[in-house]
Amino acid sequence: MTVRTRFAPSPTGYLHVGGVRTALFAWVIAKKNNGKFILRIEDTDKNREVAGSIDHIMKSLSWLGIKWDEGPDTSNYLGPYLQSERLPIYKTWAEKLISKDLAYSDPYTTAQLDEFRQKAITNKKPFLFRDHRPKNPTTWDGSTALRLKSAPKIYTWHDAVMGNMQAGDSAIDDFILIKSDGYPTYNFAHIIDDYLMEITHVIRSQEFISSIPRYLNLYEALGLAPPIIATLPYVMGPDGKKKLSKRDGAKDVLDYQALGYLPEAIINFLATLGWNDGTEQEIFSIDEIINKFELSRVQNSGAVFDEKRLLWMNGSWIRSLDLDDLYQRSDKFWPESANNADEQYKKKVLSLVQERLKYLAEIPQLTNFFFADQKVDPSLINDNKYLSKLEKSELKNILSQARIELEACDFSSVDLTRRLNQLLESLKLKPAVLFSLVRVATTQAPASPALVESLAVIGKELSLKRIDQQLSALS
RNA sequence: GGCCCCUUCGUCUAGUGGUUCAGGAUAUCUGGUUCUCAUCCAGAAGAUCGCGGGUUCGAAUCCCGCAGGGGUCACCA
């Protein structure tokens, strides 16, 4: 049997990392088993729907390389994949239940329901609709909610992540199948869809765990065999107690794209948030994850989303890229000053900052001085612990000597190193003094790659020009 | 309140009765790599394995109880 998994978001906004991890694990299971991954949109709540969400969700998944084999934009193998386009299907299945006397029309108003609920809370009892099940319900005409006539019992089941589970019969109730607006509830629609779309593994997050007995009850009523169930623990917010939410500042996945995070890093990070292969490996390629992933090795407890760890992992992935690849990915991140620079030059710059990058949006601040005219910044000397101790005249003298030496230099790394070292000896200077001074003069930046490499890239003409500017500023 | 889930360094985790008075990673700190930033390397600090009983020669690992945290009890998913 072909393994088929699905990710079924509701289009209520952007996708954040917590949601993406659920999609990732479902996708990985499908890929691992040469199966299919289905994207289904659960748009059964018109009130919560946010325009543009579907497109945004698809963009997010696409960027990460989580490709769906079937979805709203593919041919309709077992679609449509938008629940709002499947209303007749749900109605047909609802009628099957009605004909078996397993569903009935809900006669109560919301005010009455609230009253029942309030009473249950006051009595410190769980609210169970079935305690109020009407004796002679009217024929359902679609204008009221349709409820399942549940069969309460104790359920035990196996969860591919959590293991063996059990729940008491108070977990079973007459939940709503079709709302009075004609749309199905999630509880009903997803079961029908998972069956019709031949889903073999239902992978979703923890908040559904207490609903599972109700789903099992519905499967029985429908005469369907339940799929393999896998419940993922939460991705936690910073406090480590509650699941990560947009309120905690959980970013849109596409925000990470804009900051220059690599999809490989996001996936690596998310996969190892709650999963590991039992070895001490931390960095996994997407293929390795697909090969090694096991639901049974997924953690049962929630894991805090730690941006710092993600940052480290992203830097690690950036460092592992070869230069051409990094160059391609950097395309949209260059500072304006680099607009006229050629590819060759930009690649040289990139090779110098590669190991310094944690995310690609840092490129402008790290590379601007390679491209733009720099103004002399006196604080760079005044705040430097070596240079601030020297008189201006001394600095000027040292820099003038350096200028003479660089004037004669061919600006190859070898010649730069040789001449700067000679100068250290002849002037009896510490590297901390000479190198700092030349670095400050030629970059006018608080930090830069190593001096010799930087000079070699900046070039003779520009380096000398900047030294001259520094010299006149010291006068 | 009922039902259910969870609990190892700050964080992600290894660990399924004995070679673990708990290993790795990250974060932090220190030192080194001719200057800065970063990388890299070396090192430090950091978890009485939620608590209390029990079983056992021996428990983070098995059993019981408790506590803390979380979920759910919607015409939301």
Side-chain angles (χ1 to χ4, degrees), chain A residues 302-314:
Chain A
V304 173
F305 182 85
D306 182 1
E307 284 252 12
K308 287 200 172 147
R309 195 175 158 80
L310 172 59
L311 200 61
W312 160 72
M313 208 170 256
N314 199 54

Side-chain angles (χ1 to χ4, degrees), chain A residues 78-349:
Chain A
L78 291 174
Y81 297 95
L82 250 54
Q83 288 187 327
S84 59
E85 293 174 6
R86 302 171 62 80
L87 266 29
I89 297 171
Y90 307 123
K91 200 174 175 212
T92 305
W93 284 83
E95 276 160 0
K96 284 188 195 183
L97 288 171
I98 294 170
S99 70
K100 288 196 275 184
D101 192 28
L102 289 172
Y104 61 89
S105 173
D106 177 348
Y108 299 112
T109 63
T110 47
Q112 285 173 303
L113 274 180
D114 284 344
E115 206 177 300
F116 294 152
R117 219 184 319 271
Q118 210 45 54
K119 212 171 159 189
I121 291 169
T122 312
N123 294 334
K124 301 199 168 187
K125 288 259 168 67
F127 169 64
L128 288 172
F129 187 92
R130 58 181 157 85
D131 291 342
H132 306 279
R133 196 183 279 169
K135 288 203 176 85
N136 297 302
T138 54
T139 307
W140 184 63
D141 62 2
S143 68
T144 63
L146 182 72
R147 285 185 185 264
L148 173 72
K149 189 185 277 183
S150 63
K153 60 168 116 166
I154 292 169
Y155 277 96
T156 58
W157 71 98
H158 185 264
D159 186 293
V161 171
M162 297 291 184
N164 291 325
M165 312 275 280
Q166 188 184 63
D169 64 1
S170 69
I172 307 294
D173 195 18
D174 292 4
F175 62 89
I176 290 177
L177 304 169
I178 309 267
K179 297 180 270 186
S180 59
D181 65 2
Y183 282 83
T185 58
Y186 163 83
N187 298 136
F188 184 51
H190 91 274
I191 298 237
I192 302 300
D193 290 344
D194 286 344
Y195 170 69
L196 293 175
M197 295 178 186
E198 299 174 3
I199 302 302
T200 56
H201 298 62
V202 171
I203 295 149
R204 65 188 146 206
S205 92
Q206 248 191 42
E207 67 260 39
F208 296 102
I209 207 164
S210 52
S211 302
I212 289 175
R214 292 209 298 273
Y215 302 151
L216 295 174
N217 204 242
L218 178 56
Y219 278 115
E220 271 180 36
L222 291 165
L224 303 176
I228 292 168
I229 292 168
T231 303
L232 303 179
Y234 288 130
V235 174
M236 299 292 210
D239 69 352
K241 288 180 180 175
K242 292 188 177 177
K243 76 168 173 174
L244 184 69
S245 72
K246 294 173 185 180
R247 276 187 62 191
D248 301 317
K251 286 195 191 97
D252 183 342
V253 173
L254 293 180
D255 287 343
Y256 287 101
Q257 178 186 34
L259 285 169
Y261 281 75
L262 307 188
E264 290 93 329
I266 301 277
I267 286 184
N268 189 167
F269 177 74
L270 252 23
T272 52
L273 239 202
W275 171 83
N276 69 79
D277 71 345
T279 72
E280 287 179 350
Q281 186 170 346
E282 309 278 345
I283 302 293
F284 293 89
S285 70
I286 293 169
D287 284 344
E288 280 178 306
I289 292 166
I290 290 170
N291 278 323
K292 296 177 176 178
F293 189 80
E294 295 291 342
L295 279 172
S296 60
R297 284 200 63 89
V298 172
Q299 216 72 244
N300 286 15
S301 54
V304 173
F305 182 85
D306 182 1
E307 284 252 12
K308 287 200 172 147
R309 195 175 158 80
L310 172 59
L311 200 61
W312 160 72
M313 208 170 256
N314 199 54
S316 168
W317 272 99
I318 286 176
R319 270 171 259 133
S320 75
L321 258 28
D322 67 55
L323 190 56
D324 286 336
D325 194 357
L326 178 60
Y327 179 73
Q328 301 237 318
R329 300 193 199 220
S330 303
D331 192 40
K332 293 197 171 69
F333 293 96
W334 291 101
E336 241 179 81
S337 54
N339 283 348
N340 297 322
D342 63 32
E343 178 176 335
Q344 211 53 27
Y345 188 78
K346 279 154 90 177
K347 277 188 178 172
K348 277 191 207 161
V349 170

Side-chain angles (χ1 to χ4, degrees), chain A residues 357-392:
Chain A
L357 285 171
K358 295 265 195 274
Y359 53 96
L360 301 180
E362 289 181 312
I363 287 177
Q365 70 182 76
L366 258 34
T367 67
N368 193 43
F369 66 85
F370 284 111
F371 306 102
D373 285 336
Q374 293 293 91
K375 282 206 179 94
V376 173
D377 179 354
S379 70
L380 291 174
I381 286 178
N382 296 337
D383 297 345
N384 183 289
K385 69 173 168 179
Y386 303 105
L387 302 182
S388 57
K389 288 176 190 157
L390 300 177
E391 296 296 324
K392 271 189 178 182

